[in-house]
Amino acid sequence: MISNSTLVSDFPPLPAYSLRPLPRLVSLISDEHLLLVLPTTVYWIVGLFFHWISTNGYWAQYAIHTPAEFLKRNRVSPADAVKNVLTQQLLQIGFGAFFSLGSEDPLFGKEEYDIAKWARSIRLAQRILPGLLSVMGINSGALAERIAPSHPMLAGALAGGYYPALTQTVSSGAGMRMVAPAFAHWELSLAAAIYYYGVPALRFGVAMVWNDSWQYFWHRFFHQNKWFYNHVHKFHHRVYVPYCFAALYNHPVETVIVDVIGASLGFMLSGLTTRQAMWFLVLSQLKSLDDHCGYALPFDPFRYVTALDTHFHDVHHQNWGMKTNFAQVYFRFWDDVLNTAWKGETDEKYERGRAAAQRLVDMSREPDSSKHNGSIEADDGRNLKRQQVDKE
């Protein structure tokens, strides 16, 4: 027999839920494995696109460096850069696969329950409204009574989250039908917005702040410690003229410390889900590629979101700016706070670098060019003393 009863509770009951495996984004590969290969795939698609742009001379008006600088200043060939980057990516994928051993497939089915929990928190937060308004000299109870006929939901919120007209009938495990409080539509809508947008945004924000902080202080340490610079970070600075697919040209030790450990800790601290971590890594790859692409594009979307753009990081790759602009990925906050951002002019320095590189190219075309086979650092003694910088 089914009987009726009234559930004695100020809060609406939480719905039941049943967990089941989350369908894969790509049927042939699990989300865990897609997390490992998607950022690498995006890296090479974008990297090769910019290589095609550079090879064909497109967007030359936005290029920070000239072909002569690319030819004479870099200390590593594109082929060696590709080999190194592939090694770093295999290292990242290997560590990621190891960390994912034994992990279970993601589940879903709890969404309505979690939204209801947020709605309960919203209902509970309304309990403090009468007290806050009384401090301001407002009688929330009297105000709620006056506006109840025309604005019942607002009146319920002012009364401390009491909505006597909002009820629902629920079934208990014993087969009894009970009348219970119900959530207001606005409470569920706000709870859903928090669940689907607010919580992921907060997780992304925490991951971004952690990632930027981790990379800034390690990056700065690599430059301040002579041993680490000469034996580890100097690898990355063999690329004086950055180009897209050499963005991850690093020493394996730096890859493990900065990328593998840093990202893993960031995911744990932020609580990113597998899919959220996937898109976070893709976004991070796109930003790193943008920083190293070598083009100050006016239509670059990152320029309008963060002050850390391609030109900012390119300054750090020049030997006159190598002790500044340590910030990486998203924000330049730490450079500004700790006074490590470049503050001088750059146009004249860039122009001297372009002119010196062009002189070396012109000299190499002369009949007796063997004695001119030097580098731009040797050619322009005013500001490009590479050996001194490498020892710092």
Side-chain angles (χ1 to χ4, degrees), residues 65-239:
H65 297 280
T66 63
E69 288 182 279
F70 179 85
L71 180 65
K72 291 298 182 180
R73 296 192 61 197
N74 284 338
R75 293 291 169 269
V76 60
S77 69
D80 287 338
V82 169
K83 295 175 185 177
N84 176 275
V85 170
L86 287 173
T87 301
Q88 309 314 311
Q89 290 173 332
L90 288 174
L91 188 64
Q92 293 173 346
I93 292 173
F95 272 99
F98 175 78
F99 291 144
S100 65
L101 288 175
S103 61
E104 299 179 353
D105 291 336
L107 305 173
F108 82 110
K110 197 183 175 186
E111 293 77 18
E112 290 187 7
Y113 176 87
D114 289 332
I115 290 173
K117 285 183 66 177
W118 278 107
R120 271 197 174 186
S121 298
I122 294 169
R123 179 69 63 90
L124 183 62
Q126 295 171 63
R127 295 288 193 261
I128 68 174
L129 272 179
L132 290 176
L133 292 174
S134 66
V135 173
M136 302 167 60
I138 300 175
N139 187 333
S140 62
L143 180 60
E145 288 183 6
R146 287 202 303 271
I147 67 173
S150 56
H151 300 86
M153 294 298 102
L154 179 57
L158 291 172
Y162 290 101
Y163 304 89
L166 294 179
T167 61
Q168 60 181 326
T169 301
V170 297
S171 298
S172 69
M176 297 179 61
R177 294 178 62 83
M178 297 177 292
V179 178
F183 290 114
H185 177 72
W186 74 269
E187 291 176 312
L188 289 173
S189 297
L190 179 57
I194 293 173
Y195 179 79
Y196 286 114
Y197 303 104
V199 172
L202 178 62
R203 290 172 176 170
F204 265 74
V206 171
M208 285 179 174
V209 171
W210 166 264
N211 200 28
D212 271 22
S213 300
W214 180 268
Q215 294 210 20
Y216 172 87
F217 287 104
W218 274 108
H219 189 190
R220 187 174 177 181
F221 171 76
F222 287 150
H223 278 273
Q224 292 176 332
N225 185 286
K226 291 184 179 180
W227 189 93
F228 265 98
Y229 180 80
N230 287 325
H231 293 86
V232 177
H233 190 57
K234 185 178 176 181
F235 265 69
H236 188 66
H237 281 282
R238 290 176 178 174
V239 182

Side-chain angles (χ1 to χ4, degrees), residues 219-220 222-223 229 233 236-237 239-240 242 254 292 309-328 335 340 342 346 350 389:
H219 189 190
R220 187 174 177 181
F222 287 150
H223 278 273
Y229 180 80
H233 190 57
H236 188 66
H237 281 282
V239 182
Y240 281 88
E254 182 170 352
H292 294 85
D309 56 9
T310 308
H311 183 268
F312 182 91
H313 189 69
D314 193 272
V315 167
H316 176 74
H317 273 266
Q318 311 314 304
N319 51 12
W320 42 264
M322 202 173 289
K323 295 294 185 180
T324 64
N325 291 13
F326 299 111
Q328 296 188 134
D335 271 321
T340 54
W342 174 266
T346 61
Y350 272 116
V389 172

Side-chain angles (χ1 to χ4, degrees), residues 219-289:
H219 189 190
R220 187 174 177 181
F221 171 76
F222 287 150
H223 278 273
Q224 292 176 332
N225 185 286
K226 291 184 179 180
W227 189 93
F228 265 98
Y229 180 80
N230 287 325
H231 293 86
V232 177
H233 190 57
K234 185 178 176 181
F235 265 69
H236 188 66
H237 281 282
R238 290 176 178 174
V239 182
Y240 281 88
V241 179
Y243 51 100
C244 212
F245 63 80
L248 291 184
Y249 181 80
N250 293 316
H251 190 283
V253 171
E254 182 170 352
T255 296
V256 172
I257 293 175
V258 176
D259 296 329
V260 175
I261 297 178
S264 299
L265 291 175
F267 294 160
M268 288 189 290
L269 288 171
S270 62
L272 289 172
T273 65
T274 300
R275 290 188 180 180
Q276 290 168 355
M278 185 189 306
W279 301 124
F280 180 82
L281 286 179
V282 168
L283 182 62
S284 297
Q285 289 280 47
L286 290 173
K287 184 61 174 67
S288 181
L289 290 164

Side-chain angles (χ1 to χ4, degrees), residues 284-306:
S284 297
Q285 289 280 47
L286 290 173
K287 184 61 174 67
S288 181
L289 290 164
D290 182 79
D291 288 343
H292 294 85
C293 73
Y295 290 88
L297 302 173
F299 45 84
D300 180 358
F302 288 113
R303 294 186 64 182
Y304 304 100
V305 178
T306 171

Side-chain angles (χ1 to χ4, degrees), residues 358 360-367 369:
Q358 188 59 49
L360 288 179
V361 171
D362 293 340
M363 289 183 211
S364 65
R365 293 171 179 167
E366 296 177 1
S369 61

